[in-house]
Amino acid sequence: MPQPFHRQPGAFALTGLACIFAASAQAQVSGSAGIVSDYMYRGISLSSGKPAARLSLDIDGAAGWFAGGQVVSGQLAPQSHRNAQWLGYGGYAQRLQSGLSWEAGVSAYAFHGAPDWNFREVFAGLSFENYSARLHYSPDYLGFRERTLYAELNGGGSLGPAWRYFWRGGYLAAPGNAESNRAEGRLGIGTAFEGWQMQLSLDTVRLRNQGAGASGGYGSRASSPSSRMHSKLVLGLARSF
């Protein structure tokens, strides 16, 4: 389900940060374990179109500090088998008297068996009620040796007592290589019952001729230089703890 700022789906917490925050009486810890029919990341599959398991943890510390992370059983296009994909993040968020919230932080991504794909990002964002906007910057995105900016808008609302809808629109820009630019979005519905969460979404991306091939996975090349649209339905089921 869409949540503002650091309450993004998933996250495997860094052990040291987890211990620090958990030691605080004001720290709040939450997490989930589940499976998705395809691990989609910014419109592209990081599991080669296959189902993936995911374990996540989020920690809200005292005075606005937060941390968290996730581990996913992913598979990059060049890989012949599944490997662990890790994400860790930390930052600071603050709510203003007007109801507007802001945040800033850093995230790090690591791919077991493919260290050349590891990368880091810094991010900043704003949130108000059910809407949020975020901007990410990476000096070396996913092993492409490119500086990138990724902007995203998120929102959602109620469809009744048990269901919610959510959406996201994003754009990835590589200032030094326009062929890597891509637009993507997600539209879906979700529900929760006694600790279980289920969601169904349609993920759509407009791809150019670099960074993703016909399989829709990072690390492969497209066969045509022209832009194309790619869409996929994704089903997810998770248990919160």
Side-chain angles (χ1 to χ4, degrees):
M1 300 296 289
Q3 299 170 332
F5 294 153
H6 53 283
R7 315 305 280 160
Q8 297 286 336
F12 178 89
L14 302 175
T15 304
L17 288 175
C19 293
I20 294 174
F21 283 110
S24 170
Q26 298 181 3
Q28 297 182 356
V29 181
S30 62
S32 66
I35 188 171
V36 290
S37 61
D38 192 353
Y39 178 42
M40 301 295 291
Y41 178 75
R42 297 178 181 175
I44 307 295
S45 175
L46 285 184
S47 59
S48 291
K50 304 173 184 177
R54 179 167 58 190
L55 175 66
S56 69
L57 186 67
D58 300 291
I59 305 172
D60 290 319
W65 295 99
F66 61 85
Q70 73 174 15
V71 58
V72 178
S73 61
Q75 183 176 343
L76 298 174
Q79 297 177 323
S80 59
H81 57 278
R82 296 176 185 273
N83 284 287
Q85 298 176 3
W86 305 85
L87 159 65
Y89 68 83
Y92 181 80
Q94 187 67 50
R95 182 179 298 275
L96 306 177
Q97 292 184 352
S98 63
L100 182 71
S101 298
W102 65 268
E103 69 152 5
V106 61
S107 55
Y109 300 75
F111 299 86
H112 182 73
D116 289 344
W117 295 84
N118 298 352
F119 73 100
R120 297 177 299 276
E121 286 186 326
V122 293
F123 59 83
L126 296 172
S127 175
F128 184 74
E129 295 182 348
N130 292 326
Y131 304 95
S132 65
R134 215 179 201 188
L135 183 64
H136 310 250
Y137 169 76
S138 175
D140 181 9
Y141 184 70
L142 268 176
F144 294 159
R145 303 298 185 263
E146 296 173 351
R147 294 179 294 109
T148 59
L149 288 170
Y150 176 74
E152 61 176 307
L153 295 174
N154 301 273
S158 175
L159 290 175
W163 292 87
R164 290 181 59 84
Y165 71 91
F166 57 91
W167 57 265
R168 185 191 73 243
Y171 189 81
L172 180 72
N177 184 5
E179 291 183 343
S180 293
N181 296 352
R182 66 174 59 93
E184 57 90 14
R186 170 177 290 178
L187 178 64
I189 58 173
T191 187
F193 179 74
E194 294 185 352
W196 290 94
Q197 300 176 1
M198 182 180 69
Q199 68 177 34
L200 177 67
S201 66
L202 176 66
D203 288 63
T204 301
V205 60
R206 182 181 181 184
L207 299 172
R208 292 179 179 267
N209 67 322
Q210 184 169 333
S215 66
Y218 276 114
S220 57
R221 300 284 181 174
S223 58
S224 171
S226 61
S227 299
R228 63 187 178 89
M229 298 294 294
H230 177 76
S231 299
K232 187 164 189 178
L233 283 172
V234 178
L235 178 65
L237 179 65
R239 173 71 177 180
S240 300
F241 56 84

